[in-house]
Amino acid sequence: MSILLEANDISISFGGIHAVQNLSFQVKKGEVLGFIGPNGAGKSTCINLITGVYMPDTGSITFDGVKLTEKHTIRERVHMGMGRTFQTPRPFGNMTVYDNIFTVALQQNSFAAAHEKTKEVLKLTEMEHWADVASAKLPIEMRKWLDLARILANDPKFIMMDEVMAGLNPNEMENSFALIERLNQAGITILFIEHVLRAVVRVCSRVIVINEGRFLAEGEPREVLDRPEVIEAYIGGKRS
Amino acid sequence: MKTEQKKKWIHQVLPLSCIAIVILLLPFGIQSNYIITVAVTCFLFSCFGVCWNMISGYGGQISWCHAVFVSIGAYTTILMNNLAGWSPFIAIPVSMILSFIISTVIGKISFRYRGPFFSITTIAFAEIVRVLLLNFRDFTGGSAGITRPYIGASFWNLMFENDTPFYYISFVLMVGVVYITYRFEKSKTGYYLKAIKGDEDAAISLGIDTSRIKLTAFQLSAVLTAVIGVFYGAFINYVQPNTICGMDFSVQIGSVVIVGGLGTVWGSMIGAFILIPLIELANILLGAQGGAQLLYGLALIFVVIAQPRGVIYLFSKENRDRIAQKLGKGAKKTSEKIREKGREDI
Ligand SMILES: Nc1ncnc2c1ncn2[C@@H]1O[C@H](COP(=O)(O)OP(=O)(O)O)[C@@H](O)[C@H]1O
Ligand SMILES: [Mg+2]
């Protein structure tokens, strides 16, 4: 498998907080890579570094063979094929579910094609019966799906999901797993950020663990989660 | 599909045509030029409101410098007439270019930043322009203002014996800007702009060029406002910095939309036809010294408290459903009461 994204020795600090330190990892084309770590480990910050919200203090990120610089704005990276969800979903609350997706679809399509694209996305995410609902009135798990659906309207190569399972009940989680599998089968590479370990084992082919902004472990999910240093990071957080 | 078209006819086309016919015939039934003058003011403020709404209603970027764009149109018209005898129709392209340049400068500076930065920039800018107009006395007449003298009726000069021709002109202008807004709302830019109002960070994260979209909407809004300003100048024939370029004027434009309903095409018109006559009435009853300000201040507070979504909400389907539901419940309650009472009687 070829490499889609490579982070090479990236670091960023906010004031005195070293949110990410000398982190290197690779995402292979077509995989679902789990990215886990306790709260405050620097997972969301990594997404922000990859998407261009922040620039790393040191190190570099390469996406699809292109080394990303300050010239690659958030917007440009989106049009290179990146998509991300937010830890707290952010629908366009003044629009229906349909228009949320349609607006994004308009970027790469004519009006007629955007309508087709919207219907296609609604079908893929099984959100057809929510289409005319005001997005501000959606229940939380549907908001998370809407975040995903909107990204899909851009035909991304790579999606970063920031804790999409948090706050879902087992049934809703099961539906989300199925959706992620469908997306992956459609050829989309996924960086699956999660706090819930069970979820990672269920959908990821490989997992990376970070703690306090640093690389901790990497490997097959079940095996990695059994490693003492990973258990310790999660339970105690008193490594020293 | 067919029934949908029929519905559209009954709910939109038919009532709108009726209103249009009534509006077109109205001047024949009205002898008072004063009422026509107020009606023209209503139409023109509807136009200003519709233009302001483009950036501030749909985009959530509240502008307090639209008086500047009105002034550009009005001053250009009167100055060109007085200095060179040129027609307002020549002032139109000139003020379009001027307002385009100015809105581009303001937008480029302020749309890169988030939150209230744009609003504050517009306030500062409007004050600068007002002070400049006051100080370049030789050219602008300073605080005394300048008048466009009457030299005989002519359409080319937009000068008429009474205000009836303006009544029709401003009505056509209103239909024009409403049509443009309608098209704008349905354009790609319109969709992106609404997304920006919904959540700007999310819009950026999905690839929308938010600063460019906000700039485009602001430019369009400014240019259209200046065009209406040309007609406004030709209509009032007198410009003075503190009135036409003051904060009051910008606030009045904003108030019209907020009272009527932000982010809707019809809201601006409803707002204008409520506020403008109210202000006129206040001027008559309370005198021109601030009575009007007080009144529309109160109107604004009332709307914001009673119905923040504006008067237009009262006509929305959502509200009709809500009332129907309420009435339904109320009816049930009374029937239950009657039943209970009946039992008691037994
Ligand atoms: N913009 C910011 N300013 C200051 N500190 C930040 C900022 N973003 C993240 N941090 C800090 O960086 C650390 C990592 O945060 P985050 O990436 O959100 O963790 P995670 O998503 O793994 O829970 C935390 O200590 C957080 O407080
Ligand atoms: Mg996080």
Side-chain angles (χ1 to χ4, degrees):
Chain A
M1 272 203 270
S2 56
I3 306 295
L4 181 63
L5 180 110
E6 180 164 18
N8 191 2
D9 201 30
I10 53 172
S11 307
I12 189 170
S13 307
F14 302 105
I17 302 167
H18 303 292
V20 174
Q21 292 182 67
N22 304 103
L23 189 64
S24 299
F25 61 91
Q26 294 179 335
V27 184
K28 293 173 192 152
K29 245 176 213 158
E31 75 173 334
V32 182
L33 175 64
F35 201 75
I36 63 172
N39 253 327
K43 304 182 296 291
S44 297
T45 305
C46 277
I47 290 197
N48 287 331
L49 284 167
I50 296 170
T51 52
V53 175
Y54 307 133
M55 285 304 294
D57 296 339
T58 65
S60 65
I61 298 169
T62 308
F63 178 71
D64 213 10
V66 181
K67 191 172 165 183
L68 301 175
T69 63
E70 260 164 34
K71 280 183 199 132
H72 297 92
T73 57
I74 301 177
R75 217 168 60 73
E76 242 156 276
R77 295 179 196 208
V78 171
H79 295 299
M80 287 168 76
M82 288 188 188
R84 63 93 53 98
T85 67
F86 293 92
Q87 205 167 325
T88 317
R90 312 185 72 146
F92 303 135
N94 51 347
M95 296 184 182
T96 61
V97 167
Y98 188 95
D99 281 352
N100 261 267
I101 301 166
F102 181 67
T103 303
V104 178
L106 278 175
Q107 294 188 91
Q108 292 176 13
N109 296 293
S110 68
F111 275 84
H115 280 297
E116 286 309 309
K117 184 78 209 167
T118 307
K119 282 173 199 151
E120 186 191 314
V121 168
L122 283 170
K123 196 167 173 209
L124 181 67
T125 53
E126 292 174 348
M127 287 187 79
E128 289 123 318
H129 53 286
W130 294 97
D132 295 327
V133 176
S135 64
K137 291 187 177 154
L138 280 182
I140 180 74
E141 80 276 9
M142 278 301 135
R143 286 183 191 216
K144 294 192 173 201
W145 281 42
L146 176 58
D147 258 21
L148 266 177
R150 260 189 335 201
I151 296 169
L152 294 174
N154 271 336
D155 277 323
K157 290 180 195 148
F158 178 50
I159 298 182
M160 291 159 267
M161 301 184 187
D162 199 348
E163 307 208 7
V164 280
M165 298 296 166
L168 302 193
N169 68 35
N171 193 18
E172 290 160 356
M173 247 192 234
E174 203 49 50
N175 291 334
S176 299
F177 289 145
L179 175 61
I180 291 167
E181 271 158 12
R182 256 178 288 152
L183 298 182
N184 187 231
Q185 271 155 22
I188 300 171
T189 308
I190 293 169
L191 185 69
F192 185 75
I193 291 194
E194 202 41 81
H195 188 66
V196 185
L197 298 180
R198 204 157 39 89
V200 180
V201 177
R202 174 75 166 69
V203 291
C204 299
S205 44
R206 194 164 67 95
V207 61
I208 290 174
V209 189
I210 63 169
N211 187 32
E212 294 175 358
R214 289 176 185 282
F215 179 87
L216 187 65
E218 175 187 352
E220 197 275 324
R222 248 171 252 280
E223 185 261 320
V224 166
L225 295 184
D226 280 342
R227 288 193 202 167
E229 71 264 31
V230 174
I231 294 172
E232 199 182 330
Y234 259 87
I235 300 169
K238 51 187 174 203
R239 281 178 340 120
S240 62
Chain B
M1 205 61 194
K2 241 184 181 171
T3 49
E4 228 165 68
Q5 263 171 351
K6 221 178 189 177
K7 245 188 185 169
K8 197 177 168 188
W9 251 95
I10 295 172
H11 285 289
Q12 294 180 359
V13 180
L14 215 60
L16 284 182
S17 326
C18 291
I19 292 173
I21 290 170
V22 170
I23 287 175
L24 290 175
L25 293 178
L26 213 60
F28 294 100
I30 292 172
Q31 302 306 316
S32 150
N33 190 53
Y34 174 69
I35 291 181
I36 296 292
T37 308
V38 175
V40 174
T41 312
C42 287
F43 285 140
L44 290 176
F45 265 87
S46 298
C47 294
F48 292 142
V50 170
C51 297
W52 185 82
N53 192 35
M54 271 184 180
I55 180 70
S56 303
Y58 291 113
Q61 313 294 316
I62 307 294
S63 155
W64 296 123
C65 71
H66 267 56
V68 171
F69 303 125
V70 177
S71 304
I72 288 174
Y75 267 93
T76 310
T77 302
I78 294 185
L79 282 175
M80 276 190 157
N81 175 79
N82 291 7
L83 299 177
W86 285 355
S87 152
F89 290 102
I90 301 171
I92 291 177
V94 175
S95 41
M96 283 172 92
I97 293 167
L98 281 174
S99 54
F100 180 83
I101 294 170
I102 287 178
S103 58
T104 307
V105 172
I106 299 177
K108 287 256 181 202
I109 294 171
S110 61
F111 281 140
R112 271 178 299 162
Y113 305 98
R114 216 59 71 65
F117 196 84
F118 170 71
S119 290
I120 292 169
T121 310
T122 59
I123 292 173
F125 180 76
E127 276 307 286
I128 292 171
V129 173
R130 188 180 64 88
V131 171
L132 286 179
L133 286 176
L134 280 173
N135 283 299
F136 281 94
R137 259 177 226 111
D138 297 340
F139 193 54
T140 65
S143 61
I146 30 172
T147 309
R148 187 176 74 140
Y150 183 74
I151 49 163
S154 125
F155 181 76
W156 179 237
N157 284 330
L158 288 178
M159 220 174 246
F160 309 102
E161 275 171 14
N162 58 37
D163 285 333
T164 308
F166 261 114
Y167 179 89
Y168 291 108
I169 291 171
S170 55
F171 177 67
V172 170
L173 287 174
M174 188 178 79
V175 173
V177 288
V178 165
Y179 177 72
I180 293 172
T181 324
Y182 180 77
R183 291 297 301 266
F184 176 75
E185 194 186 345
K186 300 271 175 253
S187 73
K188 288 193 176 187
T189 309
Y191 274 96
Y192 300 151
L193 192 65
K194 269 193 247 171
I196 291 170
K197 186 183 182 183
D199 189 324
E200 192 163 349
D201 284 316
I204 294 174
S205 85
L206 288 158
I208 293 170
D209 190 346
T210 55
S211 17
R212 189 180 64 79
I213 298 299
K214 287 190 281 186
L215 182 63
T216 306
F218 186 45
Q219 286 164 333
L220 183 61
S221 170
V223 167
L224 285 176
T225 304
V227 172
I228 306 299
V230 167
F231 290 88
Y232 187 70
F235 169 60
I236 58 176
N237 288 315
Y238 171 66
V239 282
Q240 199 261 76
N242 292 329
T243 50
I244 201 171
C245 198
M247 197 42 63
D248 288 352
F249 201 94
S250 291
V251 171
Q252 199 165 325
I253 294 174
S255 313
V256 157
V257 184
I258 294 167
V259 166
L262 269 172
T264 60
V265 176
W266 304 112
S268 315
M269 277 180 271
I270 295 172
F273 277 85
I274 292 173
L275 265 195
I276 301 298
L278 217 64
I279 291 172
E280 285 298 325
L281 210 66
N283 281 340
I284 295 170
L285 297 177
L286 307 169
Q289 298 301 324
Q293 254 79 357
L294 188 73
L295 199 75
Y296 85 79
L298 287 175
L300 211 60
I301 292 172
F302 178 76
V303 168
V304 169
I305 292 173
Q307 186 41 263
R309 278 176 281 190
V311 176
I312 189 141
Y313 175 73
L314 302 178
F315 301 97
S316 69
K317 189 177 176 304
E318 207 182 325
N319 191 44
R320 270 183 277 142
D321 288 350
R322 201 176 56 96
I323 290 172
Q325 220 176 17
K326 245 190 191 167
L327 288 180
K329 263 188 202 155
K332 216 185 260 167
K333 267 185 200 149
T334 29
S335 63
E336 266 166 25
K337 266 184 210 155
I338 290 169
R339 220 176 295 147
E340 271 162 27
K341 197 145 192 282
R343 228 174 273 143
E344 268 176 25
D345 283 350
I346 294 169

